[in-house]
Amino acid sequence: MSSTLVSPDSRPRTARRPGGTSFVGLVGVELRRLWWRRLTKAVLVAIVVVIGVAGFSIYKDTSPESLAERLDAYSQTVKQIEADQASVTPEQRAEQVAACKADEAKSQQDGGLADFGCDRIFSPPSPADFGLVNTTRDAVVRSIVVEGFYVFGFLAFILGASFVAAEFASGSMGNWLTFQPRRLRVASAKLVAATVGGLAVAALVTALSTALAAMITTVNRPGADLPLAEAPTDGSLVQELLRISAAIALGGLGGAAIGLLLRSTAGVIGAVLGWAVVMEGLVAQGLANGRLQPWLVRANLDAFVQNGTTYYATTCGPDGCSSTRLPLSYTHGWVYLLVIAVVGVGAALVAFRRRDVS
């Protein structure tokens, strides 16, 4: 007969260890904690306010009364341009076109993307050149979301940074680790929750912008007496919104990762503002004649969101130096952002694993 009241467990020690909360469960807990933070409610209010202000501005600009006034101003401008061009002789026109094409060729030789529109110098501007088009829902959504992208991305960034850094300041991080001592699981769950929070911000922005665009285009539908052309389409709106959503989610992830590194919301905000002023402002334009821009964050964000972008750098040749527009591809943008994200998350996890938590 055995001398013990409990029979020995033949399973391996790793199988007998308590499983605890799963990783998915941890992410769910972190998402609930993120939702109940006061800053989350403040971010939601800020999103509604920003979209509301942008929508009201678009509503005023696209009202039939505003369009009629702008059409009158356009007609007067065209008449003035035609009157001025009537005094230009054919020889003078040919000289101006030739000089324009020479400048265009020089810019292209320097590596820039140059289309000076030399053949359209003496053509009257179209209503579309003055922004007089029949605004569509896609155009309104694109105007709100794309032009406000940095604002929404910054809100997601602050939300993620404060979500993590505030726990160090309050001491709740140490208490949480007593229940979940595996640091990499805890940090990874917080990073995932911050990323999901960024996606939620992007989803809310898209939904509100779409609803507001439908309202504006329905109320401000121009009448038959306003002959307006349809707004030109600029790529797929769905793909552009997906890229913006991914970038906003990356903002939430980046805020959480920097929060794990600096452990202070004020420190995160100060570091980001310092980077924006020093690196994106002074260094981007002041060093290497602007050629460092492809290796900074903002230019690559623009390239990713806009499916390719351009930047200006000073190029020098036998005839002197001039500002040239250079391309930055979509591929360069997403590869750069991916590398930055992987390096930042890796550094945050290593720092959180090795540094003491009080």
Side-chain angles (χ1 to χ4, degrees):
M1 179 180 295
S2 175
S3 61
T4 61
L5 297 178
V6 180
S7 60
D9 194 338
S10 61
R11 294 178 301 169
R13 180 177 298 179
T14 57
R16 287 183 275 128
R17 184 179 301 165
T21 305
S22 66
F23 181 74
V24 176
L26 279 179
V27 173
V29 171
E30 298 294 350
L31 287 175
R32 287 193 293 273
R33 299 175 71 185
L34 177 62
W35 168 250
W36 288 113
R37 300 193 75 249
R38 284 179 293 181
L39 183 61
T40 303
K41 311 304 188 295
V43 167
L44 295 179
V45 172
I47 291 173
V48 173
V49 170
V50 171
I51 293 179
V53 171
F56 180 75
S57 176
I58 295 174
Y59 169 79
K60 297 290 290 184
D61 291 339
T62 59
S63 64
E65 296 80 7
S66 176
L67 290 176
E69 294 177 358
R70 292 162 61 188
L71 276 173
D72 291 339
Y74 164 74
S75 300
Q76 296 176 4
T77 301
V78 170
K79 291 180 181 178
Q80 182 63 39
I81 292 175
E82 291 176 347
D84 295 340
Q85 290 180 356
S87 61
V88 180
T89 64
E91 292 78 10
Q92 292 174 333
R93 295 192 179 195
E95 291 177 359
Q96 293 184 26
V97 171
C100 176
K101 290 184 176 181
D103 294 338
E104 181 181 65
K106 179 179 179 301
S107 179
Q108 292 175 350
Q109 289 177 355
D110 294 336
L113 298 176
D115 182 9
F116 293 176
C118 301
D119 297 330
R120 303 185 300 273
I121 289 180
F122 297 100
S123 300
S126 64
D129 294 334
F130 279 71
L132 294 170
V133 294
N134 186 12
T135 305
T136 62
R137 294 183 183 182
D138 288 358
V140 174
V141 173
R142 182 176 281 111
S143 177
I144 295 175
V145 178
V146 174
E147 293 182 9
F149 157 67
Y150 280 101
V151 175
F152 303 132
F154 183 71
L155 290 176
F157 178 88
I158 293 299
L159 185 62
S162 176
F163 171 59
V164 174
E167 295 200 12
F168 289 99
S170 63
S172 61
M173 182 66 76
N175 294 332
W176 181 237
L177 288 176
T178 61
F179 294 97
Q180 290 291 334
R182 286 180 283 184
R183 293 193 175 194
L184 289 182
R185 280 167 53 91
V186 171
S188 300
K190 291 184 179 297
L191 293 174
V192 172
T195 305
V196 174
L199 284 175
V201 169
L204 178 62
V205 168
T206 302
L208 292 179
S209 301
T210 302
L212 192 59
M215 184 185 304
I216 292 174
T217 53
T218 300
V219 174
N220 282 349
R221 182 180 297 132
D225 55 334
L226 290 178
L228 297 178
E230 292 293 332
T233 58
D234 187 17
S236 172
L237 176 63
V238 175
Q239 294 180 3
E240 193 165 8
L241 291 178
L242 289 176
R243 293 195 298 269
I244 290 176
S245 298
I248 294 177
L250 186 62
L253 174 63
I258 299 178
L260 284 173
L261 289 171
L262 300 183
R263 303 187 175 187
S264 168
T265 304
V268 172
I269 296 176
V272 171
L273 293 179
W275 174 276
V277 173
V278 177
M279 299 300 296
E280 302 290 343
L282 300 177
V283 174
Q285 300 297 331
L287 296 181
N289 296 324
R291 291 188 175 274
L292 292 179
Q293 294 180 69
W295 308 108
L296 298 177
V297 176
R298 178 163 187 173
N300 286 279
L301 271 175
D302 290 340
F304 175 69
V305 170
Q306 301 172 14
N307 196 21
T309 187
T310 58
Y311 66 98
Y312 285 90
T314 302
T315 58
C316 299
D319 299 329
C321 299
S322 62
S323 180
T324 305
R325 190 174 64 171
L326 302 173
L328 188 62
S329 68
Y330 165 74
T331 302
H332 188 287
W334 74 258
V335 171
Y336 176 93
L337 295 176
L338 179 62
V339 171
I340 291 296
V342 171
V343 172
V345 169
L349 292 176
V350 170
F352 184 71
R353 179 180 175 85
R354 295 187 176 182
R355 292 173 62 184
D356 292 336
V357 177
S358 57

